[in-house]
Amino acid sequence: MPRRLDAALCRRVLVLGLILVQGLVRAQDWKPDKPIEIVAPTTPGGGIDRTARLVQKIMQEEKLAPVSVSVSNRPGGGGAVSLAFLNQHAGDAHFVAINSPNLIANDITGRGALKMRDVTPLANLFSEYTVVAVRTDSPLKTGHDFVERLRRDPQSLAVSTPTTLGGVNHLSFALVGKTAGVAPRGLKAVVLGSGGDAVTALLGGHIDAHSGTPSSVVRMVQAGKARVLAILAPRRIGGVYADTPTWSELGYKAVMDTWRGVVGPKGLTRAQVAWWDGVLAKVTASPVWKEALAQNTWEANYLDSAQTRQLFEAEHAAYRAILGDLGMLK
């Protein structure tokens, strides 16, 4: 005869089961219960800052979060300062940061204490391909002019590469130089706080050219104050830049994607990641988002959290090679 469970033991098993079920329900249904802060790792005005504020705008207007959403700017170290702040809130999904390939470059160079795997990938929002822009009165009329000047004297061109040495804008400039036969270490890169700061410096005559995103100069191009010489895209991107050649068209095999993503602090739960997966998928599907893509010449390239983690891993080797050419490996 099987032994019967006594009544007290049955009650304990029932209570334990209820606790486990309640915990599972809570884990599956996580949602924020205090204000959300989106961190931008640059000064206001650049492409990353505009991305953060666009995500904030859509989340609020579409009521995608049950709490308020704010944006804070924490520039420095090519994103290292913002990530250090983010991980002061480990396990707290109320804090997220917009990020760029600088996250991977910083990991390789050792800038900042945090590594690529010390954050939680949440999404890739879109892709941008770095341009080289000059003032309309610049003697540099084409990408060939730019390259020939670099070949004659790499130090004769001061080129802005926000927001740090070893960041994606610097890597893009270095890649153009390398494919043209110019040693990347000899290039004159000028670090500024954001794409907005770089455009101000360009128009003021403080630098000769700007290596940055198409969105950072699009308004100046439309106003006839800046000219884009070439773009590091696999193909022409259309719109305002329909007549802008790629570096590959000009004979220089240089392509670099300045993607924009979202990361959270380390230690987020599956339920927290799932909540952000759902929200950011809705953000990137909204009409306001699609309109912004067209206005800023951003290319739709939404990836969820799992796909974004794979992107980070794949890009690591490519950046390491260019950083080695710059002598910036730790």
Side-chain angles (χ1 to χ4, degrees):
M1 292 287 293
R3 296 178 59 186
R4 294 184 178 179
L5 296 175
D6 60 44
L9 180 56
C10 287
R11 285 194 296 272
R12 286 197 295 272
V13 171
L14 179 60
V15 170
L16 179 59
L18 289 173
I19 291 173
L20 291 173
V21 170
Q22 290 171 352
L24 180 60
V25 169
R26 284 195 297 270
Q28 291 173 336
D29 294 339
W30 184 90
K31 61 182 179 181
D33 56 10
K34 62 182 182 181
I36 290 172
E37 182 173 336
I38 303 174
V39 180
T42 65
T43 57
I48 293 182
D49 176 69
R50 289 200 303 276
T51 303
R53 295 182 190 280
L54 179 60
V55 172
Q56 174 201 30
K57 172 185 170 69
I58 295 172
M59 287 182 67
Q60 292 184 324
E61 290 184 350
E62 299 290 331
K63 296 180 171 55
L64 299 180
V67 297
S68 63
V69 183
S70 65
V71 173
S72 66
N73 294 86
R74 300 181 184 276
V81 170
S82 68
L83 295 182
F85 169 79
L86 194 67
N87 267 353
Q88 291 174 12
H89 305 278
D92 189 345
H94 297 88
F95 295 86
V96 297
I98 304 298
N99 73 291
S100 72
N102 288 353
L103 170 67
I104 297 173
N106 287 349
D107 183 357
I108 297 169
T109 61
R111 181 185 293 109
L114 292 178
K115 301 296 183 184
M116 183 178 73
R117 296 179 182 86
D118 290 334
V119 296
T120 303
L122 294 175
N124 185 62
L125 300 174
F126 59 83
S127 289
E128 282 195 281
Y129 299 98
T130 312
V131 300
V132 172
V134 297
R135 295 184 305 280
T136 51
D137 62 356
S138 170
L140 303 175
K141 304 299 183 184
T142 68
H144 290 302
D145 293 341
F146 182 80
V147 166
E148 288 307 313
R149 175 76 74 82
L150 291 179
R151 284 172 171 166
R152 289 198 305 270
D153 182 4
Q155 287 289 304
S156 68
L157 288 179
V159 179
S160 67
T161 61
T163 57
T164 185
L165 293 179
V168 65
N169 293 321
H170 186 206
L171 296 184
S172 298
F173 180 29
L175 185 59
V176 171
K178 179 180 179 180
T179 57
V182 180
R185 297 190 197 193
L187 300 172
K188 188 174 183 179
V190 180
V191 176
L192 295 167
S194 71
D197 294 344
V199 170
T200 299
L202 180 66
L203 297 181
H206 305 296
I207 54 176
D208 299 300
H210 167 52
S211 173
T213 61
S215 62
S216 66
V217 294
V218 65
R219 289 166 181 78
M220 295 303 101
V221 170
Q222 292 169 328
K225 296 180 179 180
R227 176 173 59 252
V228 171
L229 303 181
I231 184 169
L232 281 87
R235 60 193 174 279
R236 295 198 183 194
I237 64 174
V240 174
Y241 300 107
D243 295 328
T244 301
T246 66
W247 283 107
S248 296
E249 284 181 65
L250 299 178
Y252 311 102
K253 300 297 183 182
V255 176
M256 183 159 285
D257 181 357
T258 312
W259 39 263
R260 296 286 183 259
V262 182
V263 297
K266 61 184 177 183
L268 296 191
T269 66
R270 290 183 180 179
Q272 290 170 325
V273 171
W275 186 87
W276 277 106
D277 268 342
V279 165
L280 294 172
K282 292 175 182 176
V283 166
T284 56
S286 75
V288 173
W289 181 265
K290 293 176 181 178
E291 181 180 355
L293 291 182
Q295 290 177 345
N296 291 284
T297 62
W298 296 339
E299 291 202 0
N301 186 20
Y302 171 72
L303 302 175
D304 65 18
S305 57
Q307 294 167 323
T308 301
R309 186 179 297 277
Q310 293 172 358
L311 172 68
F312 288 1
E313 298 292 344
E315 299 266 88
H316 196 276
Y319 294 161
R320 186 173 183 83
I322 304 173
L323 287 163
D325 292 330
L326 288 166
M328 298 187 67
L329 296 181
K330 62 180 179 181

